[in-house]
């Protein structure tokens, strides 16, 4: 288990392929469980990471699997920060994208940002058209 005053960080990049979503989930689960999060909290972190990475692949890159997604997992004290970045198309209207049930793709549910926001303690989106999107997700371990 990571000690309370210890800092730890993992950075990695992967191709924007659907099968890499599960790898990102597993790494986030392993990293966060070392911090002392409960099983329920680890599951919430996994869902938030899945949604963030899926959004980068589906919306940011429009399923262009030759592109790269990057993810950082940072532990400082009892705070987990997850940063997911793409260099895709960006989000034209972040406020609209945050609305439940909104999606730019007809067969999508439009709940990804809602899940990320509800499962994490802090959630921020930074995006520019044609330059990409960065998601910053934070969760505090109460142990």
């Amino acid at each position: 288990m990571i000690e309370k005053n210890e800092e730890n960080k993992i950075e990695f990049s992967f191709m924007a392929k659907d099968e890499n979503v599960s790898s990102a989930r597993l790494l986030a689960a392993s990293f966060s469980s070392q911090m002392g999060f409960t099983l329920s909290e680890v599951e919430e972190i996994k869902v938030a990471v899945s949604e963030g990475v899926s959004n980068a692949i589906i919306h940011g890159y429009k399923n262009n699997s030759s592109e790269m997604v990057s993810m950082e997992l940072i532990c400082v004290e009892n705070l987990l920060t997850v940063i997911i970045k793409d260099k895709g198309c960006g989000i034209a209207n972040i406020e609209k994208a945050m609305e439940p049930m909104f999606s730019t793709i007809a067969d999508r549910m439009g709940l990804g940002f809602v899940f990320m926001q509800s499962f994490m303690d802090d959630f921020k989106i930074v995006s520019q058209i044609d330059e990409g999107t960065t998601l910053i997700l934070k969760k505090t371990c109460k142990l």
Side-chain angles (χ1 to χ4, degrees), residues 7-137:
E7 181 176 337
N8 195 12
K9 181 177 181 177
I10 295 175
E11 295 180 59
F12 71 108
S13 297
F14 48 94
M15 293 181 77
K17 294 184 174 194
D18 288 336
E19 57 263 37
N20 288 334
V21 174
S22 61
S23 297
R25 279 174 61 97
L26 288 171
L27 186 57
S30 176
F31 191 83
S32 59
S33 65
Q34 293 176 35
M35 293 179 64
F37 284 102
T38 65
L39 185 56
S40 176
E41 290 169 327
V42 170
E43 288 299 318
E44 291 175 349
I45 292 164
K46 286 169 51 178
V47 170
V49 166
S50 292
E51 293 295 336
V53 171
S54 294
N55 278 355
I57 294 168
I58 295 165
H59 298 286
Y61 289 133
K62 304 195 184 319
N63 293 306
N64 180 350
S65 63
S66 66
E67 298 291 347
M68 298 296 288
V69 177
S70 68
M71 187 165 111
E72 293 177 59
L73 300 161
I74 305 161
C75 166
V76 177
E77 303 262 337
N78 61 340
L79 178 66
L80 170 68
T81 302
V82 180
I83 302 170
I84 301 168
K85 295 181 185 179
D86 69 63
K87 295 182 179 177
C89 65
I91 301 170
N93 185 337
I94 293 172
E95 189 174 306
K96 184 75 175 165
M98 293 287 293
E99 292 178 8
M101 308 303 284
F102 174 81
S103 180
T104 57
I105 300 173
D107 65 342
R108 305 302 294 185
M109 290 176 48
L111 294 173
F113 288 150
V114 173
F115 287 146
M116 285 182 261
Q117 193 169 32
S118 67
F119 290 154
M120 303 302 282
D121 296 332
D122 189 39
F123 173 63
K124 182 177 180 184
I125 303 171
V126 178
S127 189
Q128 291 189 331
I129 298 298
D130 297 328
E131 291 188 26
T133 300
T134 299
L135 304 177
I136 304 164
L137 304 99

